[in-house]
Amino acid sequence: MTSVSIDLNADLGEGFGRWQLTDDEQLLSVVTSANVACGFHAGDAATMRRVCDLAAERGVRIGAQVSYRDLAGFGRRSMDVPSDELAAEVAYQIGALEVFARAAGSWVSYVKPHGALYNRVVHDEEQAAAVVDGVLLAGGERPVLGLPGSRFLDIAAKAGLPVVAEAFADRAYTPEGTLVPRGQENAVVTDPGTVVERSLSMARFGVVTSHCGRPVGVRARSLCLHGDTPGAVGLARRVRERLEAAGVRVEAFV
């Protein structure tokens, strides 16, 4: 059988001030890539620095999780931001995280949109192009994570950026291969056994069952485990153990 590898990424640093949403230290012992909140939907300077230090110590890749400027809504409200403004804000977030990543002896090695921005750039060509412009403005040719078949990955590839297709262990899929909106019932898969087996199916066969029972192709190089899911650490460990037991190599894509 052909060797299969998968990256495990998680959204980390999603606290603010005295509030902490994710168990960053424990999750960093499981995942291979950390999507660090850059202050627009969550996170602050001290949190970004702490997560970068922990990630660098463990050899976990640091990624900038860029968002609409929506701290109150956790970045889950779609916004009509002018393209030049959105590009500048994306570059700003990457640059802020880069300071702390470099101080920790690492670097920002990829970029991933968050929440409403992530879903918006699947179809919205103008917003997708603005995010790509922001990544380019921040300098370097950093890989970007996104949904397979999205306009975002298409535009990024045409701009010369490496693209990484991503799948979600704990999010329901539509038959078209997009994510079921969080406002709909059963948008998040909560049964641990189901999440584990979905993860293995996506990693080995590139297939997941949609919310209406149809198989959907989701060939991806990275698998997202949400850090704000209840029991996230234990679930992440179970997913990694199941993948490795099945002969899947768990390693960073970059």
Side-chain angles (χ1 to χ4, degrees), residues 45-64:
T47 302
M48 292 160 68
R49 181 178 184 182
R50 176 176 55 80
V51 175
C52 285
D53 286 346
L54 290 170
E57 287 173 8
R58 290 161 172 75
V60 175
R61 298 295 184 263
I62 296 170

Side-chain angles (χ1 to χ4, degrees), residues 119-171:
N119 291 318
R120 181 78 171 265
V121 299
V122 170
H123 302 295
D124 190 318
E125 187 160 337
E126 185 176 335
Q127 295 276 279
V131 175
V132 171
D133 287 345
V135 176
L136 294 171
L137 181 61
E141 293 184 351
R142 294 181 176 89
V144 295
L145 260 68
L147 207 66
S150 67
R151 295 299 300 133
F152 175 53
L153 292 191
D154 288 344
I155 293 170
K158 289 175 182 175
L161 296 176
V163 298
V164 180
E166 178 184 34
F168 290 81
D170 57 359
R171 289 295 310 278

Side-chain angles (χ1 to χ4, degrees), residues 7 9 110-111 118 143-148 150 152-153 156 161-167 219-223 253-254:
D7 169 66
N9 76 74
Y110 66 93
V111 177
Y118 186 99
V144 295
L145 260 68
L147 207 66
S150 67
F152 175 53
L153 292 191
L161 296 176
V163 298
V164 180
E166 178 184 34
R219 293 202 173 274
R221 179 64 185 86
S222 188
L223 183 65
F253 62 83
V254 62

Side-chain angles (χ1 to χ4, degrees), residues 76-142:
R76 288 181 175 161
R77 299 181 292 192
S78 188
M79 297 181 169
D80 293 322
V81 182
S83 294
D84 58 346
E85 184 177 335
L86 181 57
E89 291 190 339
V90 166
Y92 178 92
Q93 292 174 77
I94 296 168
L97 187 65
E98 185 71 40
V99 169
F100 301 116
R102 292 288 180 181
S106 186
W107 65 95
V108 174
S109 48
Y110 66 93
V111 177
K112 174 184 172 178
H114 165 81
L117 183 58
Y118 186 99
N119 291 318
R120 181 78 171 265
V121 299
V122 170
H123 302 295
D124 190 318
E125 187 160 337
E126 185 176 335
Q127 295 276 279
V131 175
V132 171
D133 287 345
V135 176
L136 294 171
L137 181 61
E141 293 184 351
R142 294 181 176 89

